[in-house]
Amino acid sequence: MTIWNLGSVNADMVYRLPHLPASGETLAASALQRGLGGKGANMSVAVARAGSHVEHLGAVGADGTWMRDRLAEYGVGVGGLVEVGETSGHAIIALDEIGENQIILFPGANARIDEAGLEDSLGKAKAGDIAVCQNETSGQVAFARAARAKELRIAYAAAPFTVQAVQAILPEVDLLVLNAVESAQLQEAMNRPLEALPVADIVVTLGADGCRWIGTVSGKSQDFAAPRVEVVDTTGAGDTFTGYLLAALDQGLDMAEAITLAQQAGALMVTRLGTADVIPTRAEVAAHFAPS
């Protein structure tokens, strides 16, 4: 099977700082690292490293062909990642000594998705494949509707979070992934609990407190404790979790098994500095969490 990811591709500029800057404060960075990032690219790399086939759909500018090439090197299908007449997306990431971050995001080419071409990009998709998107590109609803018409299972990672984006795509979604803050904002905006949303499966990530899976069809929920690790950098951990979750479901694991694997991958990710380039492989996850 295949996972089809309409996702952002960004150049990540990571600056190491003694602490996150306050309003009006100027800080000197101790280090700078450029790498491949964007929530979409991170998820595609995570899917590939988890052992599933992924096709990445999206856009870069002429300055971003190195990112397209790097995705291909990592085993991601890039036939649907096109070049457009716009600067590629990029992010400026401030990272402090305890692994917390602030991010400034410029969407660039990610906001120039050709919606009319999305149906063609899904031409080889088959019923039972998984489609996923996030809120860092244009064309999300058009993509979800095209995927629905081909009987794909549709996942949505609700970040960067806006209520309007979630409400627009929610009727098409089978699996919703969001964090605790986003969960609270969505429930307040829609004036209903998550259990009442018209989505079959909802996964809420809770950082160091683990995550919660809500099965709205069965009416059951399950909490999962987070693996304990030493945090170096939290950037990309949520994307790694989502990519591994989808890959595990694609490979036939049940939701509880998929969440457990995804949590392990996300936990190992926070012990590393960087984004897509340092997402762990399935073998690395297995080795790190092997019983002693």
Side-chain angles (χ1 to χ4, degrees), residues 198-277:
V199 180
D201 292 293
I202 301 171
V203 176
V204 182
T205 59
L206 304 170
D209 293 326
C211 75
R212 171 170 292 180
W213 165 41
I214 301 170
T216 64
V217 176
S218 66
K220 296 180 180 179
S221 65
Q222 183 175 349
D223 293 331
F224 297 81
R228 299 301 174 186
V229 294
E230 183 176 346
V231 176
V232 172
D233 180 7
T234 59
T235 311
D239 304 330
T240 300
F241 172 92
T242 303
Y244 261 80
L245 175 67
L246 298 179
L249 294 173
D250 170 67
Q251 294 165 25
L253 277 66
D254 64 29
M255 185 64 77
E257 294 170 327
I259 287 174
T260 298
L261 175 62
Q263 284 189 295
Q264 291 175 343
L268 184 53
M269 180 64 177
V270 303
T271 68
R272 302 176 172 191
L273 175 62
T275 46
D277 299 307

Side-chain angles (χ1 to χ4, degrees), residues 9 27 38 172 248 269 291:
V9 179
L27 289 175
E172 311 298 337
M269 180 64 177

Side-chain angles (χ1 to χ4, degrees), residues 77-252:
V78 294
L81 182 56
V82 301
E83 184 179 324
V84 297
E86 172 63 272
T87 302
S88 296
H90 59 268
I92 297 173
I93 302 170
L95 181 66
D96 71 12
E97 293 178 347
I98 61 172
E100 294 300 322
N101 62 58
Q102 290 178 347
I103 301 174
I104 298 172
L105 177 66
F106 176 71
N110 297 308
R112 295 279 300 274
I113 303 298
D114 176 16
E115 294 190 10
L118 289 173
E119 187 172 350
D120 291 339
S121 297
L122 290 169
K124 295 183 179 179
K126 298 178 181 178
D129 284 355
I130 296 174
V132 61
C133 58
Q134 322 80 33
N135 194 27
E136 283 189 346
T137 72
S138 56
Q140 298 159 45
V141 175
F143 171 72
R145 288 173 178 166
R148 174 68 65 205
K150 299 198 59 102
E151 300 182 2
L152 274 62
R153 183 179 186 182
I154 301 169
Y156 186 65
F161 181 82
T162 70
V163 171
Q164 294 81 3
V166 177
Q167 288 177 326
I169 201 170
L170 204 60
E172 311 298 337
V173 174
D174 302 301
L175 169 60
L176 178 65
V177 182
L178 67 173
N179 65 30
V181 173
E182 295 159 353
S183 167
Q185 292 175 340
L186 183 60
Q187 291 178 91
E188 180 179 0
M190 300 194 71
N191 194 29
R192 68 176 77 174
L194 294 180
E195 291 81 357
L197 295 179
V199 180
D201 292 293
I202 301 171
V203 176
V204 182
T205 59
L206 304 170
D209 293 326
C211 75
R212 171 170 292 180
W213 165 41
I214 301 170
T216 64
V217 176
S218 66
K220 296 180 180 179
S221 65
Q222 183 175 349
D223 293 331
F224 297 81
R228 299 301 174 186
V229 294
E230 183 176 346
V231 176
V232 172
D233 180 7
T234 59
T235 311
D239 304 330
T240 300
F241 172 92
T242 303
Y244 261 80
L245 175 67
L246 298 179
L249 294 173
D250 170 67
Q251 294 165 25

